[in-house]
Amino acid sequence: MQITTLDTSNLIFLTSADPSSSRSLSALGSFVYAMPNRLQPSDPLCTALCSQNGSIEFANRVAKILARRTEKPTYVGSSVVFGNPTVEEEMAGVRAVVDEVLKIVHGERRG
């Protein structure tokens, strides 16, 4: 996970590594932009700038949640791909990522 917070936006890159793979590099995956919706704050606007099957839904979910909670435009690059997850497993992954990013983003605002 790489997080860059700016005054006007957040930039987050997420990746998962396959322990059986000997490659040290990960694919780009999907790249998504989400921004707060002033007319409907509970429904951020989101668009895929680059999409890859398997990682686009995860990137969309994370970007929308972070845009809503930080109230800033958010870019999310994600090559996180779950094998064959249950809904609970995927949501646990989203929750873990969002919680960690918010700790960092909110910690930098205070500091």
Side-chain angles (χ1 to χ4, degrees), residues 74-86:
T74 302
Y75 296 89
V76 174
S78 174
S79 62
V80 174
V81 177
F82 293 96
N84 223 355
T86 64

Side-chain angles (χ1 to χ4, degrees), residues 39 57 59 67 86 94 99:
L39 299 177
E57 289 182 30
T86 64
V94 169
D99 289 347

Side-chain angles (χ1 to χ4, degrees), residues 3-109:
I3 302 168
T4 304
T5 58
L6 304 170
D7 291 338
T8 57
S9 63
N10 297 309
L11 177 62
I12 294 100
F13 287 101
L14 308 167
T15 186
S16 60
D18 180 2
S20 65
S21 175
S22 62
R23 296 185 319 164
S24 61
L25 300 175
S26 295
L28 171 63
S30 298
F31 192 59
V32 176
Y33 174 75
M35 61 186 267
N37 184 343
R38 292 181 187 202
L39 299 177
Q40 294 180 331
S42 64
D43 188 24
L45 305 172
C46 187
T47 188
L49 302 175
C50 176
S51 64
Q52 180 182 22
N53 289 341
S55 66
I56 188 67
E57 289 182 30
F58 185 80
N60 274 333
R61 283 190 185 112
V62 171
K64 282 183 169 186
I65 292 169
L66 291 174
R68 183 170 38 88
R69 292 204 185 159
T70 62
E71 298 177 351
K72 292 197 309 189
T74 302
Y75 296 89
V76 174
S78 174
S79 62
V80 174
V81 177
F82 293 96
N84 223 355
T86 64
V87 172
E88 291 81 15
E89 290 171 336
E90 189 166 343
M91 291 311 295
V94 169
R95 190 174 303 113
V97 167
V98 168
D99 289 347
E100 191 62 33
V101 170
L102 289 176
K103 281 183 202 173
I104 293 168
V105 169
H106 291 145
E108 288 181 4
R109 281 188 188 171

